[in-house]
Amino acid sequence: MLRFTDEHEWLKAEGVVVTVGITAHAAEQLGDLVFIELPKVGARLAKGEAAAVVESVKAASDVYAPLSGEVVAVNDAAVADPATVGTDPQGDGWLYRLRLDDPSEMDGLMDEAAYAALPK
């Protein structure tokens, strides 16, 4: 099951590790992505902290850490081919994986229906 933030990030939990990416809406708004900067494996992120940067021909945008934890993996394929994030943002275009400090923080995120109801 996916969870969402109002900053247009999605998360998919697998135990205490979550995969994080940007939503299809965010990818659409950005347009053609040309550069991605991801956090380093082993980095500690605090909820709400800038964790990554996605840059398009239109603008650069920060991607915020939806929850606190340690980065355990990054998607090097997305760095090599940023277009993947635009064409498959909630699949092969994932950005990084985070081992959560407190898995109960997931309870504060939106489900798909609540995210879809947000004004865009």
Side-chain angles (χ1 to χ4, degrees):
M1 178 166 61
L2 294 178
R3 294 290 182 181
F4 299 86
T5 72
D6 57 4
E7 296 290 334
H8 306 289
E9 291 102 11
W10 61 266
L11 296 85
K12 180 179 180 186
E14 297 170 29
V16 297
V17 175
V18 294
T19 301
V20 179
I22 63 171
T23 65
H25 172 75
E28 181 181 306
Q29 293 300 305
L30 286 166
D32 294 332
L33 294 177
V34 295
F35 176 77
I36 297 174
E37 181 180 339
L38 298 177
K40 303 285 186 222
V41 171
R44 303 245 358 121
L45 300 175
K47 181 179 178 178
E49 173 183 12
V53 175
V54 290
E55 185 175 328
S56 72
V57 295
K58 294 180 183 179
S61 295
D62 287 331
V63 177
Y64 299 96
L67 303 171
S68 299
E70 178 185 356
V71 177
V72 295
V74 296
N75 188 351
D76 291 326
V79 173
D81 184 10
T84 303
V85 176
T87 59
D88 192 12
Q90 291 175 213
D92 289 339
W94 63 276
L95 299 178
Y96 62 94
R97 293 195 170 110
L98 191 65
R99 181 179 298 117
L100 300 178
D101 289 342
D102 181 3
S104 70
E105 286 185 327
M106 286 283 292
D107 297 339
L109 300 175
M110 292 178 271
D111 63 15
E112 196 160 357
Y115 178 74
L118 282 179
K120 306 268 187 316

